[in-house]
Amino acid sequence: ERKLLGLNEGDHQVFELEPEHAFGPRNPQLLQRVSRKMLSEHGGADTEYDPGDLVEFPTPDGQRFAGVLKEINEQWALFDFNHPLAGQRVRLEVQILGVL
């Protein structure tokens, strides 16, 4: 949002944001193993999972969060709970349509 301050109606800009100013750096602590038992309880015993699947999990307070399945075997599944764009530079192209 700071990049937009001072722009006027009709302005066109392209910005590149470093990870720390966009979705943050990748956090290795957000790579977590989940037991196959928990995965079956969450998704059902017949649900099949493949690496790359985005799986949602409930939190104790009723919210939901998602992780990308990275690996799976008979005992556990490894999920990446980082934002998909974490650790990446982000290029934004904006055109200001109006200023309130």
Side-chain angles (χ1 to χ4, degrees):
E1 292 174 346
R2 284 182 285 191
K3 295 280 189 180
L4 301 176
L5 293 175
L7 296 180
N8 297 308
E9 185 173 329
D11 285 352
H12 176 261
Q13 292 286 324
V14 176
F15 306 107
E16 285 210 13
L17 302 175
E18 294 299 322
E20 59 271 10
H21 298 294
F23 294 94
R26 292 192 59 72
N27 182 345
Q29 293 180 341
L30 293 179
L31 285 171
Q32 299 196 3
R33 285 191 169 104
V34 172
S35 72
R36 285 298 300 262
K37 181 181 178 201
M38 181 185 150
L39 197 56
S40 293
E41 289 171 358
H42 166 69
D46 296 336
T47 304
E48 292 188 27
Y49 298 97
D50 294 307
D53 287 350
L54 182 66
V55 179
E56 287 191 347
F57 293 87
T59 62
D61 64 357
Q63 300 291 316
R64 299 190 70 76
F65 63 99
V68 174
L69 179 62
K70 296 305 221 181
E71 296 177 35
I72 191 164
N73 66 28
E74 295 297 320
Q75 291 81 34
W76 50 262
L78 178 65
F79 283 91
D80 185 350
F81 294 105
N82 283 287
H83 187 281
L85 294 176
Q88 297 185 35
R89 296 175 98 192
V90 176
R91 183 175 189 261
L92 301 172
E93 182 173 357
V94 299
Q95 182 165 2
I96 305 300
L97 301 177
V99 178
L100 301 176

